[in-house]
Amino acid sequence: MLARLLRTIADRCASTRARVEIATAASPVHLDLEIADKAWRRALGMMGKTQLRENDGMLLLYPRPRIVRLWMANTPLALDAIFVDEAGRILKIAHRLQPNSRRWVSSEKPAKWVLEIAGGQAMHLGIATGDRVRVST
């Protein structure tokens, strides 16, 4: 209930979006992601979201590289979390994170960005560790 209220408030706040290109082995992948660049937006993440369009999701931006830990509490969708370093290289992909799970997932190495997309989409699009990510707003 609280997550739904917070999601409604966040959705009504002006949110900016980023165009993200991932250079995969096969071909470039383009995503249109909501930017979460403030601590409260990153903490809220995808909580309360009940659907995602294809190539939609969230881009969590951190002020400096750090070990990032995520969980899926109050998130009813399965997600893929793609951890990206400061140079734009994919460090790790956590595939199909369980909805509403309170289990922590870590980047294991310092990450500057995290891309959150629909569960299974990273594999479907051929996104892999080591691929390069470019962001434009």
Side-chain angles (χ1 to χ4, degrees):
M1 180 77 144
L2 178 59
R4 196 172 320 150
L5 174 63
L6 291 172
R7 169 57 46 206
T8 301
I9 292 168
D11 287 344
R12 289 187 181 164
C13 292
S15 69
T16 52
R17 301 191 67 84
R19 184 89 171 138
V20 176
E21 179 180 276
I22 302 173
T24 69
S27 62
V29 169
H30 295 95
L31 304 171
D32 180 40
L33 306 179
E34 178 183 348
I35 297 174
D37 58 352
K38 307 248 183 305
W40 70 270
R41 280 198 184 273
R42 290 190 300 268
L44 182 60
M46 300 289 251
M47 285 184 189
K49 285 248 188 201
T50 57
Q51 60 183 342
L52 280 175
R53 296 183 323 265
E54 188 174 331
N55 297 342
D56 192 14
M58 184 169 280
L59 171 63
L60 287 70
L61 301 174
Y62 292 88
R64 60 190 162 283
R66 56 176 282 205
I67 301 294
V68 177
R69 294 178 63 206
L70 305 172
W71 70 349
M72 296 287 291
N74 301 311
T75 306
L77 300 171
L79 297 175
D80 290 342
I82 303 170
F83 299 93
V84 183
D85 70 12
E86 192 169 25
R89 187 173 40 93
I90 295 177
L91 299 169
K92 176 183 175 177
I93 303 173
H95 295 275
R96 292 189 180 271
L97 296 174
Q98 286 296 110
N100 298 308
S101 172
R102 294 186 182 273
R103 185 176 150 264
W104 290 100
V105 176
S106 171
S107 62
E108 298 173 8
K109 296 178 183 174
K112 177 86 171 169
W113 311 328
V114 180
L115 315 177
E116 292 183 338
I117 59 176
Q121 195 172 19
M123 190 172 291
H124 174 73
L125 295 171
I127 299 169
T129 302
D131 286 350
R132 296 286 178 175
V133 178
R134 191 175 67 202
V135 175
S136 57
T137 52

